[in-house]
Amino acid sequence: MWAVHRPSARTDHLPPPPFNAPAARRLRTALGLGPDHVAHTLRASYGLPYVTPGLVTAWERGTAGPSHTELTALAGVLWCSPGELIGRPRTLREHRVARGLAPEDVARAVGQEIHAYLRMEETGRWRGTERQSAALTRLLSLSPADIVTVTGREEALAELLRSAATTRWQAYVRPVRKVVPLERRPVEEALHRLHRDYQGRMAATLSWGGGHGDAGEGGREFLDRIVEHFWTAATRSPRRSRP
């Protein structure tokens, strides 16, 4: 049986990208390749001598995830773009890798020095100007939710949304609009819906006779996923992002 082993010293020290294991298995099967064929090509053609069929299988089962270097090589073996093997990108680096772009390509396109751009990838926080942010959005096809994530504002948004859902939502329209690149109407509609859904959930839980403890648990569960609920609500009706 093949062992799953990687060298102790690796040049790729960054956290691995989110990996779409079912897609990798589907693409390999469509090409008529076995894990042994994939492992052999990664060793022979991509300079990854430690890759075994066991490691490839572990990737596909989700028990291990390829590094950025391994994922790029795997995409070459499977004749696909790296983006097809990545789950929903969250960080700036993951979005870039998903588009198959080098750091130099992004830095040049948005008008930044390469060392400044790489520092933003390392810190996980985009700090470009408004013009550079617009260029980055076009280059990486970022959604409003992606923009909030790569600029490191998701936790700030979550705090505002929790307050809007539990108190007077109208007071949070302007603060939320300072965080998200959406126009006023979709923000108002989303906050109203969050408030209504949260209050409705609390009232329904109490009416079932569960008591305040159960109501609190149900409310916490809703609030834990408040950002997800917000984007779902904000995209239910046509809207335009702010430039």
Side-chain angles (χ1 to χ4, degrees), residues 170 173-174 177 182-189 242:
Q170 294 90 338
V173 174
R174 180 175 295 180
R177 289 196 68 224
L182 295 177
E183 294 184 349
R184 185 179 185 88
R185 182 175 178 180
V187 171
E188 288 179 334
E189 292 176 350
R242 294 202 312 269

Side-chain angles (χ1 to χ4, degrees), residues 1-6 19 25 28 34-40 42-43 50-66:
M1 182 175 179
W2 293 89
V4 177
H5 173 71
R6 283 177 170 136
F19 184 60
R25 180 179 179 85
R28 176 182 61 75
D36 55 332
H37 292 96
V38 174
H40 172 76
L42 289 171
R43 293 194 302 268
Y50 54 87
V51 175
T52 64
L55 180 55
V56 174
T57 299
W59 290 342
E60 293 183 355
R61 290 177 177 172
T63 57

Side-chain angles (χ1 to χ4, degrees), residues 158-232:
E159 288 299 320
L160 291 172
L161 297 178
R162 292 185 190 109
S163 296
T166 57
T167 61
R168 185 173 177 271
W169 66 267
Q170 294 90 338
Y172 291 89
V173 174
R174 180 175 295 180
V176 168
R177 289 196 68 224
K178 290 182 179 179
V179 176
V180 301
L182 295 177
E183 294 184 349
R184 185 179 185 88
R185 182 175 178 180
V187 171
E188 288 179 334
E189 292 176 350
L191 294 184
H192 186 194
R193 184 177 187 87
L194 290 183
H195 184 270
R196 184 182 63 203
D197 288 353
Y198 175 76
Q199 299 299 331
R201 178 180 296 241
M202 295 291 284
T205 305
L206 288 172
S207 70
W208 294 336
H212 290 281
D214 291 338
E217 182 178 349
R220 282 193 298 272
E221 180 181 349
F222 182 85
L223 295 178
D224 284 343
R225 300 176 59 190
I226 195 71
V227 174
E228 178 184 339
H229 293 313
F230 171 77
W231 290 119
T232 299

